[in-house]
mmCIF file of all heavy atoms in Angstrom:
data_model
loop_
_atom_site.group_PDB
_atom_site.id
_atom_site.type_symbol
_atom_site.label_atom_id
_atom_site.label_comp_id
_atom_site.label_asym_id
_atom_site.label_seq_id
_atom_site.Cartn_x
_atom_site.Cartn_y
_atom_site.Cartn_z
ATOM 1 N N ASP G 34 110.183 -63.091 143.628
ATOM 2 C CA ASP G 34 110.562 -61.779 143.016
ATOM 3 C C ASP G 34 111.970 -61.726 142.651
ATOM 4 O O ASP G 34 112.280 -61.313 141.490
ATOM 5 C CB ASP G 34 110.080 -60.676 143.913
ATOM 6 C CG ASP G 34 108.642 -60.545 144.150
ATOM 7 O OD1 ASP G 34 107.911 -61.254 143.439
ATOM 8 O OD2 ASP G 34 108.270 -59.720 144.967
ATOM 9 N N LEU G 35 112.876 -62.086 143.484
ATOM 10 C CA LEU G 35 114.337 -62.070 143.334
ATOM 11 C C LEU G 35 114.670 -63.015 142.210
ATOM 12 O O LEU G 35 115.459 -62.667 141.206
ATOM 13 C CB LEU G 35 115.125 -62.393 144.559
ATOM 14 C CG LEU G 35 116.565 -62.469 144.342
ATOM 15 C CD1 LEU G 35 117.190 -61.110 144.026
ATOM 16 C CD2 LEU G 35 117.327 -62.913 145.614
ATOM 17 N N ALA G 36 114.111 -64.215 142.161
ATOM 18 C CA ALA G 36 114.401 -65.199 141.206
ATOM 19 C C ALA G 36 113.958 -64.731 139.765
ATOM 20 O O ALA G 36 114.703 -64.969 138.745
ATOM 21 C CB ALA G 36 113.834 -66.555 141.506
ATOM 22 N N PHE G 37 112.746 -64.221 139.711
ATOM 23 C CA PHE G 37 112.230 -63.621 138.395
ATOM 24 C C PHE G 37 113.226 -62.519 137.929
ATOM 25 O O PHE G 37 113.561 -62.478 136.791
ATOM 26 C CB PHE G 37 110.884 -63.141 138.547
ATOM 27 C CG PHE G 37 110.317 -62.695 137.263
ATOM 28 C CD1 PHE G 37 109.624 -63.536 136.475
ATOM 29 C CD2 PHE G 37 110.409 -61.422 136.837
ATOM 30 C CE1 PHE G 37 109.082 -63.263 135.199
ATOM 31 C CE2 PHE G 37 109.928 -60.981 135.567
ATOM 32 C CZ PHE G 37 109.145 -61.951 134.812
ATOM 33 N N ALA G 38 113.626 -61.600 138.791
ATOM 34 C CA ALA G 38 114.405 -60.473 138.468
ATOM 35 C C ALA G 38 115.802 -60.975 137.909
ATOM 36 O O ALA G 38 116.249 -60.500 136.896
ATOM 37 C CB ALA G 38 114.561 -59.550 139.535
ATOM 38 N N VAL G 39 116.372 -61.904 138.595
ATOM 39 C CA VAL G 39 117.720 -62.480 138.104
ATOM 40 C C VAL G 39 117.593 -63.139 136.792
ATOM 41 O O VAL G 39 118.443 -62.926 135.842
ATOM 42 C CB VAL G 39 118.326 -63.469 139.308
ATOM 43 C CG1 VAL G 39 119.516 -64.138 138.711
ATOM 44 C CG2 VAL G 39 118.603 -62.706 140.458
ATOM 45 N N VAL G 40 116.637 -63.975 136.606
ATOM 46 C CA VAL G 40 116.448 -64.674 135.324
ATOM 47 C C VAL G 40 116.127 -63.671 134.278
ATOM 48 O O VAL G 40 116.707 -63.767 133.132
ATOM 49 C CB VAL G 40 115.342 -65.701 135.406
ATOM 50 C CG1 VAL G 40 114.932 -66.308 134.062
ATOM 51 C CG2 VAL G 40 115.726 -66.878 136.364
ATOM 52 N N TRP G 41 115.232 -62.726 134.534
ATOM 53 C CA TRP G 41 114.877 -61.710 133.433
ATOM 54 C C TRP G 41 116.070 -60.845 133.075
ATOM 55 O O TRP G 41 116.348 -60.635 131.891
ATOM 56 C CB TRP G 41 113.811 -60.820 133.946
ATOM 57 C CG TRP G 41 113.288 -59.916 132.851
ATOM 58 C CD1 TRP G 41 113.781 -58.640 132.509
ATOM 59 C CD2 TRP G 41 112.424 -60.252 131.757
ATOM 60 N NE1 TRP G 41 113.138 -58.288 131.373
ATOM 61 C CE2 TRP G 41 112.322 -59.243 130.849
ATOM 62 C CE3 TRP G 41 111.716 -61.505 131.484
ATOM 63 C CZ2 TRP G 41 111.538 -59.220 129.737
ATOM 64 C CZ3 TRP G 41 110.858 -61.454 130.341
ATOM 65 C CH2 TRP G 41 110.724 -60.354 129.519
ATOM 66 N N VAL G 42 116.799 -60.348 133.986
ATOM 67 C CA VAL G 42 118.020 -59.626 133.711
ATOM 68 C C VAL G 42 119.088 -60.315 133.035
ATOM 69 O O VAL G 42 119.696 -59.855 132.053
ATOM 70 C CB VAL G 42 118.534 -58.872 134.968
ATOM 71 C CG1 VAL G 42 119.909 -58.291 134.700
ATOM 72 C CG2 VAL G 42 117.559 -57.880 135.518
ATOM 73 N N THR G 43 119.303 -61.661 133.372
ATOM 74 C CA THR G 43 120.226 -62.424 132.679
ATOM 75 C C THR G 43 119.765 -62.677 131.340
ATOM 76 O O THR G 43 120.648 -62.561 130.365
ATOM 77 C CB THR G 43 120.320 -63.772 133.398
ATOM 78 O OG1 THR G 43 120.760 -63.541 134.788
ATOM 79 C CG2 THR G 43 121.374 -64.733 132.684
ATOM 80 N N ILE G 44 118.515 -62.966 131.022
ATOM 81 C CA ILE G 44 118.078 -63.274 129.595
ATOM 82 C C ILE G 44 118.151 -62.014 128.846
ATOM 83 O O ILE G 44 118.679 -62.066 127.662
ATOM 84 C CB ILE G 44 116.652 -63.918 129.626
ATOM 85 C CG1 ILE G 44 116.708 -65.282 130.158
ATOM 86 C CG2 ILE G 44 116.077 -63.832 128.229
ATOM 87 C CD1 ILE G 44 115.217 -65.820 130.436
ATOM 88 N N ALA G 45 117.765 -60.781 129.286
ATOM 89 C CA ALA G 45 117.847 -59.682 128.652
ATOM 90 C C ALA G 45 119.280 -59.260 128.258
ATOM 91 O O ALA G 45 119.626 -58.770 127.219
ATOM 92 C CB ALA G 45 117.099 -58.497 129.423
ATOM 93 N N SER G 46 120.205 -59.458 129.225
ATOM 94 C CA SER G 46 121.609 -59.155 129.087
ATOM 95 C C SER G 46 122.162 -60.011 127.986
ATOM 96 O O SER G 46 122.976 -59.545 127.086
ATOM 97 C CB SER G 46 122.374 -59.165 130.312
ATOM 98 O OG SER G 46 121.972 -58.303 131.243
ATOM 99 N N LEU G 47 121.841 -61.298 127.997
ATOM 100 C CA LEU G 47 122.349 -62.189 126.993
ATOM 101 C C LEU G 47 121.855 -61.870 125.619
ATOM 102 O O LEU G 47 122.678 -61.967 124.574
ATOM 103 C CB LEU G 47 122.105 -63.663 127.432
ATOM 104 C CG LEU G 47 122.861 -64.186 128.618
ATOM 105 C CD1 LEU G 47 122.399 -65.556 128.995
ATOM 106 C CD2 LEU G 47 124.289 -64.308 128.300
ATOM 107 N N LEU G 48 120.593 -61.607 125.526
ATOM 108 C CA LEU G 48 120.025 -61.230 124.213
ATOM 109 C C LEU G 48 120.750 -59.993 123.592
ATOM 110 O O LEU G 48 121.080 -59.930 122.509
ATOM 111 C CB LEU G 48 118.493 -60.952 124.397
ATOM 112 C CG LEU G 48 117.664 -62.138 124.461
ATOM 113 C CD1 LEU G 48 116.117 -61.716 124.720
ATOM 114 C CD2 LEU G 48 117.628 -62.939 123.098
ATOM 115 N N TYR G 49 120.918 -58.981 124.609
ATOM 116 C CA TYR G 49 121.541 -57.797 124.103
ATOM 117 C C TYR G 49 122.960 -58.007 123.688
ATOM 118 O O TYR G 49 123.501 -57.420 122.749
ATOM 119 C CB TYR G 49 121.410 -56.652 125.087
ATOM 120 C CG TYR G 49 122.124 -55.424 124.759
ATOM 121 C CD1 TYR G 49 121.557 -54.570 123.861
ATOM 122 C CD2 TYR G 49 123.293 -54.972 125.325
ATOM 123 C CE1 TYR G 49 122.078 -53.403 123.415
ATOM 124 C CE2 TYR G 49 123.888 -53.881 124.876
ATOM 125 C CZ TYR G 49 123.261 -53.041 123.956
ATOM 126 O OH TYR G 49 123.969 -51.814 123.632
ATOM 127 N N ASP G 50 123.711 -58.744 124.521
ATOM 128 C CA ASP G 50 125.129 -58.998 124.276
ATOM 129 C C ASP G 50 125.396 -59.817 123.022
ATOM 130 O O ASP G 50 126.357 -59.648 122.374
ATOM 131 C CB ASP G 50 125.822 -59.628 125.390
ATOM 132 C CG ASP G 50 125.925 -58.760 126.561
ATOM 133 O OD1 ASP G 50 125.843 -57.418 126.383
ATOM 134 O OD2 ASP G 50 126.065 -59.182 127.774
ATOM 135 N N PHE G 51 124.590 -60.813 122.805
ATOM 136 C CA PHE G 51 124.920 -61.763 121.792
ATOM 137 C C PHE G 51 124.006 -61.628 120.456
ATOM 138 O O PHE G 51 124.502 -61.602 119.304
ATOM 139 C CB PHE G 51 124.826 -63.209 122.220
ATOM 140 C CG PHE G 51 125.862 -63.466 123.191
ATOM 141 C CD1 PHE G 51 125.589 -63.618 124.612
ATOM 142 C CD2 PHE G 51 127.271 -63.539 122.924
ATOM 143 C CE1 PHE G 51 126.499 -63.824 125.504
ATOM 144 C CE2 PHE G 51 128.141 -63.702 123.864
ATOM 145 C CZ PHE G 51 127.846 -63.866 125.208
ATOM 146 N N LEU G 52 122.644 -61.508 120.652
ATOM 147 C CA LEU G 52 121.715 -61.490 119.490
ATOM 148 C C LEU G 52 121.664 -60.116 118.915
ATOM 149 O O LEU G 52 121.554 -59.964 117.727
ATOM 150 C CB LEU G 52 120.379 -62.098 119.897
ATOM 151 C CG LEU G 52 119.421 -62.434 118.832
ATOM 152 C CD1 LEU G 52 120.068 -63.486 117.916
ATOM 153 C CD2 LEU G 52 118.178 -63.025 119.461
ATOM 154 N N PHE G 53 121.714 -59.131 119.831
ATOM 155 C CA PHE G 53 121.480 -57.714 119.346
ATOM 156 C C PHE G 53 122.631 -56.882 119.649
ATOM 157 O O PHE G 53 122.670 -55.744 120.130
ATOM 158 C CB PHE G 53 120.163 -57.154 119.993
ATOM 159 C CG PHE G 53 118.940 -57.764 119.710
ATOM 160 C CD1 PHE G 53 118.336 -58.653 120.673
ATOM 161 C CD2 PHE G 53 118.356 -57.576 118.527
ATOM 162 C CE1 PHE G 53 117.138 -59.334 120.328
ATOM 163 C CE2 PHE G 53 117.064 -58.224 118.267
ATOM 164 C CZ PHE G 53 116.540 -59.136 119.168
ATOM 165 N N SER G 54 123.876 -57.454 119.336
ATOM 166 C CA SER G 54 125.128 -56.763 119.704
ATOM 167 C C SER G 54 125.379 -55.485 119.077
ATOM 168 O O SER G 54 126.105 -54.630 119.588
ATOM 169 C CB SER G 54 126.272 -57.742 119.574
ATOM 170 O OG SER G 54 126.429 -58.152 118.337
ATOM 171 N N THR G 55 124.771 -55.200 117.882
ATOM 172 C CA THR G 55 125.046 -54.088 117.221
ATOM 173 C C THR G 55 123.959 -53.077 117.461
ATOM 174 O O THR G 55 124.026 -51.958 116.884
ATOM 175 C CB THR G 55 125.085 -54.427 115.654
ATOM 176 O OG1 THR G 55 123.889 -54.904 115.256
ATOM 177 C CG2 THR G 55 126.259 -55.295 115.265
ATOM 178 N N SER G 56 123.079 -53.224 118.354
ATOM 179 C CA SER G 56 121.973 -52.398 118.659
ATOM 180 C C SER G 56 122.382 -51.393 119.620
ATOM 181 O O SER G 56 123.348 -51.441 120.351
ATOM 182 C CB SER G 56 120.765 -53.165 119.302
ATOM 183 O OG SER G 56 120.336 -54.183 118.391
ATOM 184 N N PRO G 57 121.641 -50.250 119.645
ATOM 185 C CA PRO G 57 121.988 -49.158 120.533
ATOM 186 C C PRO G 57 121.650 -49.492 121.998
ATOM 187 O O PRO G 57 120.907 -50.466 122.170
ATOM 188 C CB PRO G 57 121.132 -47.959 120.107
ATOM 189 C CG PRO G 57 120.135 -48.573 119.160
ATOM 190 C CD PRO G 57 120.629 -49.823 118.689
ATOM 191 N N GLN G 58 122.229 -48.751 122.877
ATOM 192 C CA GLN G 58 121.988 -48.981 124.404
ATOM 193 C C GLN G 58 120.592 -49.005 124.811
ATOM 194 O O GLN G 58 120.115 -49.777 125.685
ATOM 195 C CB GLN G 58 122.736 -47.994 125.152
ATOM 196 C CG GLN G 58 122.796 -48.269 126.654
ATOM 197 C CD GLN G 58 123.802 -49.175 127.234
ATOM 198 O OE1 GLN G 58 124.847 -49.368 126.458
ATOM 199 N NE2 GLN G 58 123.559 -49.853 128.180
ATOM 200 N N TRP G 59 119.666 -48.226 124.129
ATOM 201 C CA TRP G 59 118.318 -48.022 124.546
ATOM 202 C C TRP G 59 117.539 -49.390 124.314
ATOM 203 O O TRP G 59 116.539 -49.693 124.932
ATOM 204 C CB TRP G 59 117.580 -46.909 123.932
ATOM 205 C CG TRP G 59 117.469 -47.038 122.386
ATOM 206 C CD1 TRP G 59 118.362 -46.473 121.519
ATOM 207 C CD2 TRP G 59 116.469 -47.685 121.658
ATOM 208 N NE1 TRP G 59 117.949 -46.684 120.224
ATOM 209 C CE2 TRP G 59 116.762 -47.547 120.244
ATOM 210 C CE3 TRP G 59 115.312 -48.349 121.935
ATOM 211 C CZ2 TRP G 59 116.034 -48.064 119.252
ATOM 212 C CZ3 TRP G 59 114.620 -48.930 120.879
ATOM 213 C CH2 TRP G 59 114.860 -48.842 119.619
ATOM 214 N N VAL G 60 117.991 -50.277 123.475
ATOM 215 C CA VAL G 60 117.383 -51.583 123.227
ATOM 216 C C VAL G 60 117.534 -52.483 124.534
ATOM 217 O O VAL G 60 116.531 -52.995 125.019
ATOM 218 C CB VAL G 60 117.986 -52.324 122.063
ATOM 219 C CG1 VAL G 60 117.450 -53.727 121.960
ATOM 220 C CG2 VAL G 60 117.804 -51.536 120.841
ATOM 221 N N LEU G 61 118.603 -52.356 125.192
ATOM 222 C CA LEU G 61 118.802 -53.083 126.472
ATOM 223 C C LEU G 61 117.858 -52.488 127.497
ATOM 224 O O LEU G 61 117.260 -53.242 128.215
ATOM 225 C CB LEU G 61 120.281 -52.894 127.003
ATOM 226 C CG LEU G 61 120.550 -53.512 128.368
ATOM 227 C CD1 LEU G 61 120.315 -54.915 128.445
ATOM 228 C CD2 LEU G 61 121.958 -53.160 128.823
ATOM 229 N N TYR G 62 117.571 -51.172 127.507
ATOM 230 C CA TYR G 62 116.741 -50.579 128.522
ATOM 231 C C TYR G 62 115.364 -51.107 128.120
ATOM 232 O O TYR G 62 114.492 -51.200 129.079
ATOM 233 C CB TYR G 62 116.930 -49.019 128.535
ATOM 234 C CG TYR G 62 118.270 -48.578 128.990
ATOM 235 C CD1 TYR G 62 118.823 -47.434 128.267
ATOM 236 C CD2 TYR G 62 119.019 -49.241 129.926
ATOM 237 C CE1 TYR G 62 120.127 -47.110 128.648
ATOM 238 C CE2 TYR G 62 120.168 -48.840 130.288
ATOM 239 C CZ TYR G 62 120.871 -47.694 129.701
ATOM 240 O OH TYR G 62 122.051 -47.239 129.988
ATOM 241 N N MET G 63 114.986 -51.079 126.948
ATOM 242 C CA MET G 63 113.598 -51.612 126.614
ATOM 243 C C MET G 63 113.435 -53.034 127.017
ATOM 244 O O MET G 63 112.352 -53.393 127.431
ATOM 245 C CB MET G 63 113.337 -51.418 125.042
ATOM 246 C CG MET G 63 113.386 -49.932 124.673
ATOM 247 S SD MET G 63 112.223 -48.920 125.597
ATOM 248 C CE MET G 63 110.673 -49.423 124.891
ATOM 249 N N PHE G 64 114.334 -53.909 126.822
ATOM 250 C CA PHE G 64 114.294 -55.257 127.406
ATOM 251 C C PHE G 64 114.112 -55.342 128.787
ATOM 252 O O PHE G 64 113.225 -56.028 129.230
ATOM 253 C CB PHE G 64 115.632 -56.047 126.986
ATOM 254 C CG PHE G 64 115.808 -56.580 125.583
ATOM 255 C CD1 PHE G 64 116.945 -56.570 124.905
ATOM 256 C CD2 PHE G 64 114.722 -57.035 124.897
ATOM 257 C CE1 PHE G 64 117.058 -57.114 123.740
ATOM 258 C CE2 PHE G 64 114.747 -57.517 123.622
ATOM 259 C CZ PHE G 64 115.980 -57.532 123.002
ATOM 260 N N MET G 65 114.793 -54.392 129.535
ATOM 261 C CA MET G 65 114.611 -54.374 130.964
ATOM 262 C C MET G 65 113.242 -53.870 131.344
ATOM 263 O O MET G 65 112.655 -54.417 132.302
ATOM 264 C CB MET G 65 115.694 -53.429 131.636
ATOM 265 C CG MET G 65 117.192 -54.027 131.412
ATOM 266 S SD MET G 65 117.420 -55.559 132.325
ATOM 267 C CE MET G 65 118.989 -55.857 131.750
ATOM 268 N N LEU G 66 112.848 -52.889 130.673
ATOM 269 C CA LEU G 66 111.391 -52.340 130.955
ATOM 270 C C LEU G 66 110.339 -53.324 130.619
ATOM 271 O O LEU G 66 109.367 -53.392 131.339
ATOM 272 C CB LEU G 66 111.201 -51.027 130.185
ATOM 273 C CG LEU G 66 111.703 -49.750 130.744
ATOM 274 C CD1 LEU G 66 111.550 -48.623 129.855
ATOM 275 C CD2 LEU G 66 111.088 -49.515 132.068
ATOM 276 N N ALA G 67 110.559 -54.194 129.657
ATOM 277 C CA ALA G 67 109.593 -55.249 129.242
ATOM 278 C C ALA G 67 109.409 -56.249 130.456
ATOM 279 O O ALA G 67 108.482 -56.974 130.388
ATOM 280 C CB ALA G 67 110.080 -56.002 128.049
ATOM 281 N N GLY G 68 110.417 -56.255 131.368
ATOM 282 C CA GLY G 68 110.272 -57.171 132.399
ATOM 283 C C GLY G 68 109.111 -56.858 133.441
ATOM 284 O O GLY G 68 108.550 -57.628 134.081
ATOM 285 N N ILE G 69 108.688 -55.494 133.401
ATOM 286 C CA ILE G 69 107.620 -55.207 134.280
ATOM 287 C C ILE G 69 106.325 -55.817 133.886
ATOM 288 O O ILE G 69 105.631 -56.554 134.717
ATOM 289 C CB ILE G 69 107.564 -53.697 134.406
ATOM 290 C CG1 ILE G 69 108.808 -53.076 134.960
ATOM 291 C CG2 ILE G 69 106.347 -53.270 135.115
ATOM 292 C CD1 ILE G 69 108.890 -51.562 134.900
ATOM 293 N N PRO G 70 105.894 -55.716 132.648
ATOM 294 C CA PRO G 70 104.641 -56.345 132.285
ATOM 295 C C PRO G 70 104.814 -57.835 132.216
ATOM 296 O O PRO G 70 103.824 -58.585 132.545
ATOM 297 C CB PRO G 70 104.272 -55.773 130.967
ATOM 298 C CG PRO G 70 105.459 -55.172 130.438
ATOM 299 C CD PRO G 70 106.275 -54.742 131.597
ATOM 300 N N ALA G 71 106.068 -58.349 131.996
ATOM 301 C CA ALA G 71 106.307 -59.831 131.974
ATOM 302 C C ALA G 71 106.099 -60.321 133.369
ATOM 303 O O ALA G 71 105.541 -61.363 133.540
ATOM 304 C CB ALA G 71 107.635 -60.045 131.392
#
Side-chain angles (χ1 to χ4, degrees):
D34 293 348
L35 178 64
F37 184 88
V39 168
V40 169
W41 186 266
V42 169
T43 301
I44 290 171
S46 296
L47 290 174
L48 281 173
Y49 178 73
D50 289 342
F51 296 109
L52 196 59
F53 299 102
S54 59
T55 59
S56 300
Q58 184 85 26
W59 61 266
V60 172
L61 174 63
Y62 299 140
M63 295 306 287
F64 280 144
M65 295 298 175
L66 277 174
I69 296 169

